[in-house]
Amino acid sequence: MKYLLKQATIINEGVSKVGDVLIHNDRIEKIADTIADASATEINCEGKYLVPGSIDDQVHFREPGLTHKADIQSESRAAIAGGVTSFMEMPNTVPNALTQELLADKYAIAAQSSAANYSFYMGASNDNIEEVLKTNPNDVCGIKVFMGSSTGNMLVDEPTTLNKIFSEVPMLIATHCEDETTVRKNLELYREKYGEDVPMKYHPVIRSEEACYLSSSMAVDLAKKHNARLHVLHISTAKELSLFENKTPLSEKRITAEACVHHLWFSEEDYDQKGTFIKWNPAVKKAADRAAIWKAVLDNRIDVIATDHAPHTLEEKSQSYFKAPSGGPLVQHALLALLEKSKQGIISKERVIEKTAHAPSVLFGVENRGFIREGYFADLVIIDPSTSTKVQKDNILYKCGWSPFEGITFSHSIEKTFVNGVLAFDNGKILNEKNGKRLTFNRKD
């Protein structure tokens, strides 16, 4: 296979420059101002952006056990349609990925069905430290610790266990941080006041700033105490940002942080219209929190942007406050949403690519992905900035069939996506859907 991408605006490593890229088999063979190769299939990219595929470090694709909501095949198809060429998936499936055998089962499923490159977190519980310590840091993205309960009931809350995890695990520890005692106390207060019909606008009061900060600060304290490699997921409050610094180069940081698209797009003002469709854990909070998270993304206190893609069925999301699960689907539209913010002047195109491709690659030590470099895997996305995309039922690829962005028209469109050199998505059509490879890592954890 050879493709010659001609005269694209290549957005890569902080620079936008017009040039050619030659793909040969699964790799980028050459990058130059102009390339001639009669044996290659030529694609005219004039006026189009060429970017490295996004690496999404937090998704829930629901397989095994919850495949009425989503599965690896369906959601990876949606991912490549959105320019996400690699994903890291969470362990709160059914059964929870708490043993090496169960983790291996997920890799086996992905090897047969994933349209995108994949890795899976090993799950931690209050009593599986022996299994956690068997995890291979060269081909598993990290260890996931739920320091607050969320979908899947994998809460790790015993102090002895947390100390053991942070002191003994030699690789990246990714945490969901919400203080369980605070959340439960707030839940009971609002249940007493409203019964089962708590208005959605109180979700960020129940899963509060205090709950987030208490847990995130505990995780950071544990990491500092044991010199652990900590990655705090989906920061949702301004207060938490004081826990992170921007003086150390990303490749040398021991404590890093992630922001998610929904916390950068929505605020509490959207609950009246969107209701449970923007119910996430941690909650979408105040506009002031959103603004502070954007500032931290731009000054590098927050290192990466991800999705926390977590689909549920329309029927599940249409229930009352206590019954409607938290989470929503995002991988198909995350890059488009961020490019929209770029058009609005909030973030540059170059920083969007840094936070969605370069930084995840550096942060996790992903081998040969996340950049447009000769010799790297050809995970590439062609974006048309002159063709808009309206999100509507008939073009949503999520198995759950809905999106919190429904009705929104984005200014850009994802035209083509290459995964390992294969043209996998082209102008609205999935062409190759089982082309993903297992991610490997070269890390200093």
Side-chain angles (χ1 to χ4, degrees):
M1 291 184 298
K2 268 192 178 182
Y3 290 96
L4 178 54
L5 311 183
K6 294 289 294 181
Q7 294 304 285
T9 299
I10 302 167
I11 304 175
N12 186 55
E13 303 191 60
V15 175
S16 295
K17 182 182 178 183
V18 175
D20 294 357
V21 173
L22 179 64
I23 301 170
H24 188 193
N25 293 330
D26 62 352
R27 303 279 177 155
I28 298 169
E29 183 171 285
K30 189 175 182 180
I31 305 165
D33 291 342
T34 184
I35 301 169
D37 191 323
S39 66
T41 299
E42 190 170 303
I43 298 174
N44 180 11
C45 298
E46 287 185 72
K48 312 286 176 64
Y49 303 152
L50 180 65
V51 305
S54 297
I55 301 172
D56 193 339
D57 78 351
Q58 186 185 186
V59 303
H60 302 260
F61 282 0
R62 305 302 190 197
E63 190 173 8
L66 299 166
T67 52
H68 67 287
K69 303 174 190 278
D71 57 54
I72 290 169
Q73 184 176 29
S74 66
E75 307 314 284
S76 65
R77 284 164 51 96
I80 64 170
V84 175
T85 55
S86 300
F87 65 85
M88 302 177 193
E89 207 264 355
M90 290 297 164
N92 55 334
T93 42
V94 179
N96 301 152
L98 294 173
T99 68
Q100 294 299 318
E101 290 74 18
L102 290 170
L103 183 62
D105 288 346
K106 296 179 73 169
Y107 278 104
I109 294 168
Q112 296 299 315
S113 64
S114 185
N117 306 308
Y118 51 87
S119 192
F120 296 91
Y121 288 88
M122 175 65 183
S125 71
N126 278 323
D127 56 8
N128 78 328
I129 186 67
E130 293 79 10
E131 286 293 309
V132 166
L133 293 174
K134 295 176 186 176
T135 307
N136 183 351
N138 297 318
D139 62 9
V140 176
C141 53
I143 307 301
K144 175 62 183 290
V145 180
F146 286 90
M147 293 176 66
S149 63
S150 191
T151 304
N153 193 28
M154 288 183 64
L155 177 66
V156 181
D157 59 352
E158 293 181 5
T160 302
T161 301
L162 287 168
N163 269 288
K164 199 169 181 65
I165 290 170
F166 278 84
S167 63
E168 296 187 23
V169 170
M171 59 189 293
L172 181 144
I173 302 165
T175 56
H176 175 129
C177 289
E178 291 180 286
D179 180 67
E180 190 66 14
T181 300
T182 302
V183 172
R184 288 180 179 175
K185 177 184 174 183
N186 292 338
L187 278 170
E188 288 312 306
L189 286 172
Y190 280 85
R191 191 191 294 272
E192 288 174 12
K193 189 171 183 179
Y194 292 101
E196 292 298 310
D197 295 319
V198 174
M200 266 305 304
K201 65 181 180 180
Y202 294 117
H203 188 55
V205 181
I206 293 169
R207 303 191 83 95
S208 63
E209 175 189 79
E210 178 190 16
C212 293
Y213 183 80
L214 283 171
S215 186
S216 294
S217 59
M218 177 191 291
V220 170
D221 287 347
L222 284 165
K224 288 180 176 178
K225 176 182 177 182
H226 299 292
N227 193 31
R229 176 65 186 87
L230 171 66
H231 185 46
V232 184
L233 302 171
H234 43 44
I235 296 298
S236 65
T237 74
K239 187 173 183 180
E240 290 170 282
L241 298 171
S242 64
L243 300 170
F244 308 104
E245 57 93 9
N246 59 1
K247 305 300 181 187
T248 306
L250 176 56
S251 61
E252 299 174 17
K253 280 188 179 184
R254 299 295 291 166
I255 297 171
T256 52
E258 169 208 272
C260 286
V261 170
H262 48 283
H263 292 126
L264 294 168
W265 187 279
F266 299 105
S267 76
E268 65 180 4
E269 297 165 7
D270 297 303
Y271 282 114
D272 285 342
Q273 179 188 357
K274 294 287 186 178
T276 58
F277 295 106
I278 61 166
K279 184 187 181 190
W280 277 278
N281 298 341
V284 168
K285 296 183 174 68
K286 297 177 180 178
D289 291 301
R290 178 178 60 192
I293 295 167
W294 269 116
K295 184 176 180 182
V297 165
L298 296 174
D299 70 18
N300 293 329
R301 283 172 292 161
I302 289 182
D303 303 286
V304 301
I305 302 175
T307 67
D308 194 13
H309 174 89
H312 301 282
T313 66
L314 277 169
E315 182 181 5
E316 290 167 333
K317 290 295 273 186
S318 298
Q319 299 177 98
S320 62
Y321 176 79
F322 285 101
K323 293 179 180 178
S326 293
L330 282 167
V331 288
Q332 190 179 344
H333 305 107
L335 184 55
L336 292 175
L338 292 171
L339 289 170
E340 198 67 23
K341 293 300 180 184
S342 174
K343 186 173 183 180
Q344 295 168 8
I346 294 173
I347 184 173
S348 70
K349 297 186 296 293
E350 292 79 9
R351 294 301 297 279
V352 168
I353 302 311
E354 176 193 335
K355 294 296 182 179
T356 58
H358 305 336
S361 175
V362 173
L363 194 156
F364 284 85
V366 180
E367 289 189 318
N368 298 321
R369 301 186 192 276
F371 296 86
I372 300 178
R373 293 174 177 169
E374 292 179 359
Y376 271 52
F377 287 104
D379 297 338
L380 299 169
V381 182
I382 298 172
I383 297 166
D384 187 346
S386 63
T387 300
S388 62
T389 301
K390 184 174 183 179
V391 183
Q392 50 197 19
K393 291 285 187 189
D394 63 2
N395 60 21
I396 290 171
L397 296 184
Y398 310 130
K399 193 172 188 179
C400 66
W402 65 274
S403 166
F405 290 126
E406 269 180 70
I408 290 176
T409 298
F410 295 117
S411 302
H412 302 68
S413 64
I414 307 297
E415 184 180 290
K416 292 178 172 63
T417 302
F418 293 85
V419 181
N420 299 308
V422 174
L423 182 56
F425 174 81
D426 188 10
N427 285 296
K429 294 182 179 180
I430 304 290
L431 302 183
N432 289 277
E433 59 181 39
K434 297 182 181 180
N435 190 55
K437 294 183 179 182
R438 183 169 182 164
L439 297 179
T440 56
F441 305 91
N442 181 11
R443 61 214 313 183
K444 300 180 294 182
D445 295 343

